[in-house]
Amino acid sequence: MTAKRKKLYEGKAKVIFAGTTDDTLIQYFKDDATAYNAQKHAVLHGKGVLNNAISCHIMTLLADAGIKHHLIRQISPREQLIRKCTIIPVEVVVRNIATGSMVARLGGAHIPIKSGTPLKTPMVEYYLKEDALNDPIITEDHIVEFALASREEITFMRLTALAINHFLRNIFHDINITLVDFKLEFGRANHPLPDDPPLILADEISPDNCRLWDKATGDSKDKDRFRQDLGNLVEAYQDIATRLGLTITEKHYD
Ligand SMILES: Nc1ncnc2c1ncn2[C@@H]1O[C@H](COP(=O)(O)OP(=O)(O)O)[C@@H](O)[C@H]1O
Ligand SMILES: [Mg+2]
């Protein structure tokens, strides 16, 4: 399947291969799950196929809502053809409900916040995408000072991330899922088109980088199942795919 492809980069959850033309890449979704900066690792059969399908579906819905992204098309169960970008090494996180690292970092006497507390307003955070440093949280001023992105690009990422939050919340609300938080990556297209915005949405949108809570039961339907050893991760991702109307079943996992 990938024998002829030229591997350019192998990440924790995906592999990037050379594309069919100079301005494209192929993004291949592995079954590997990692957490806590890859200290914890497992191979979960079916995860890659489900994430590829879910991400393609969501990116397509976002395009209909006017969000420009890197996806050209899905080319196989584990692969998508994407536009080649130079990724901004900043992970953009949007939060609707406090949980995870935010509660661990800030919860205390001054901010007595508990996991599961809804935020009054969705908030955006930035993290440096650098595994060796454990992806530290950074500010707008760090991003500008160290020339990771311009002030205008940060404003674009922030407003686009909030618009994406609005659309994603509705998509998940319709399938009885609460969108708790999620992470985005943006890139500068290597071959910009005339109607491109300054940055386009890249990477993936899947239960690997969204927190998704079942509205009826409160169950996590995302990578927290792996982080917290809750089990049945693939079943949870399959449930999300099915609720989104995707016709994937176990027989498509290979
Ligand atoms: N359109 C794109 N152009 C170039 N690189 C991309 C694009 N979309 C995603 N990437 C990068 O490809 C890699 C995807 O593999 P992943 O396993 O997520 O890696 P990582 O472990 O670095 O997060 C990421 O480093 C991501 O930044
Ligand atoms: Mg990644």
Side-chain angles (χ1 to χ4, degrees), residues 3 14 17 38-40 46 57 88 101 120 148 165 168 192 214 217 233 237 251:
K14 305 184 285 299
F17 294 96
Q39 289 174 55
K40 188 170 166 149
H57 178 74
I88 308 281
S101 68
K120 292 193 276 297
L148 306 176
N165 183 46
L168 287 186
D214 187 286
T217 63
L233 175 138
Y237 287 30
K251 70 175 194 283

Side-chain angles (χ1 to χ4, degrees), residues 14 129 183 185 203:
K14 305 184 285 299
K129 186 172 160 61
K183 182 269 289 186
E185 293 183 27
D203 205 55

Side-chain angles (χ1 to χ4, degrees), residues 101-117:
S101 68
M102 195 179 83
V103 173
R105 202 172 43 246
L106 301 179
H110 293 296
I111 307 179
I113 198 160
K114 297 247 177 339
S115 178
T117 310

